[in-house]
Amino acid sequence: KTVIGVLASGRGSNMQAIVDAIEAGRLDAKVGVVISDNPEANVLKRMAGSDIPAVCIDRRQFVSRQDFEAAVAEELNVRHVELVVLAGFMRILSPYFIDRFAGKIMNIHPSLLPAFPGENAQQQALNYGAKVSGCTVHFVDEGMDTGPIILQEAVPVQEDDTVETLSDRILHAEHILYPRAIALYCEKRLIVEGRRVHIIEKSEGLQ
Ligand code: GAR
């Protein structure tokens, strides 16, 4: 089984969707550790009582970003993590960290990239007047939400949407999309060629 490490800063619903997909047999992976940079994060409360290790690495306890990232990397290495999954992780990772896990970091973003990168993507879509938004799972590179796209799902923007109703509709799609993207990685079905991520069909012989 591929060992994944989840980095999350907040609510943790995507983390939960990943754990649920593993339990339901839709994703053949193991969560080796959940790391939050925020001691107050709901994601840590969700982990209470679970046998998955949950660790808080508080950014405020480190002088520099690199010291903080070194501690995160160390924790991931100790847990033998093979794929780093950002699930509502609200910090930008430096090239130092990204190089250490080159090609092995995924993120989910609540828009159809390259539209509306960065913070408040759902509000950006409403402000722009987009009729369709959605979510994107992508590999992380050194830019802001710029890495090679793995999967996307479109979600309609409705006439009476508020940021809350649109975010909920997108989140529902995220919970299906992220475990699927992680499963493709774990099944070694993703081939990255420049910006393009090719998805290898499941061959008949394999199950
Ligand atoms: C999700 O909507 C995710 O796409 C977004 O934060 C939310 C986290 O929810 N991520 C970003 O905006 C990253 N720039 P969760 O904590 O319930 O998974």
Side-chain angles (χ1 to χ4, degrees):
K1 279 193 208 306
T2 306
V3 180
I4 66 180
V6 180
L7 269 53
S9 302
R11 178 177 49 193
S13 73
N14 276 290
M15 182 285 302
Q16 188 71 57
I18 292 162
V19 169
D20 291 349
I22 292 173
E23 282 175 3
R26 280 181 281 121
L27 171 57
D28 190 22
K30 180 185 159 188
V31 179
V33 66
V34 174
I35 301 175
S36 177
D37 57 319
N38 167 15
E40 315 297 330
N42 188 54
V43 67
L44 292 173
K45 300 191 183 101
R46 282 184 197 256
M47 301 313 292
S50 136
D51 50 13
I52 298 168
V55 178
C56 174
I57 302 180
D58 187 347
R59 171 66 182 88
R60 292 167 299 185
Q61 306 206 324
F62 297 85
V63 176
S64 69
R65 175 158 82 165
Q66 185 152 333
D67 289 346
F68 164 73
E69 290 184 349
V72 173
E74 173 65 15
E75 182 66 35
L76 294 169
N77 286 331
V78 164
R79 306 287 182 179
H80 306 290
V81 165
E82 300 166 271
L83 175 68
V84 181
V85 169
L86 308 184
F89 187 66
M90 292 309 192
R91 288 186 185 279
I92 296 167
L93 294 164
S94 74
Y96 158 81
F97 185 92
I98 291 164
D99 283 351
R100 285 187 66 159
F101 294 93
K104 296 178 175 168
I105 311 174
M106 272 187 201
N107 182 41
I108 190 156
H109 182 77
S111 75
L112 292 178
L113 291 171
F116 316 130
E119 283 182 25
N120 304 318
Q122 304 94 333
Q123 184 69 60
Q124 290 184 56
L126 288 175
N127 293 350
Y128 198 87
K131 301 292 188 192
V132 176
S133 192
C135 48
T136 302
V137 181
H138 63 94
F139 284 113
V140 173
D141 68 7
E142 292 172 7
M144 160 82 97
D145 299 323
T146 53
I149 291 172
I150 301 166
L151 291 176
Q152 293 187 300
E153 184 80 27
V155 171
V157 178
Q158 287 173 6
E159 207 56 48
D160 55 354
D161 263 339
T162 61
V163 70
E164 286 78 22
T165 58
L166 177 60
S167 298
D168 281 354
R169 195 173 310 112
I170 293 174
L171 194 65
H172 183 75
E174 292 184 42
H175 294 162
I176 299 164
L177 203 67
Y178 216 178
R180 274 178 48 210
I182 297 166
L184 290 170
Y185 182 92
C186 294
E187 294 165 13
K188 301 195 172 16
R189 292 170 58 200
L190 299 177
I191 310 265
V192 185
E193 202 182 41
R195 281 212 55 85
R196 295 188 68 183
V197 180
H198 300 282
I199 299 175
I200 304 172
E201 287 294 314
K202 222 172 194 171
S203 76
E204 293 289 316
L206 298 170
Q207 44 161 301

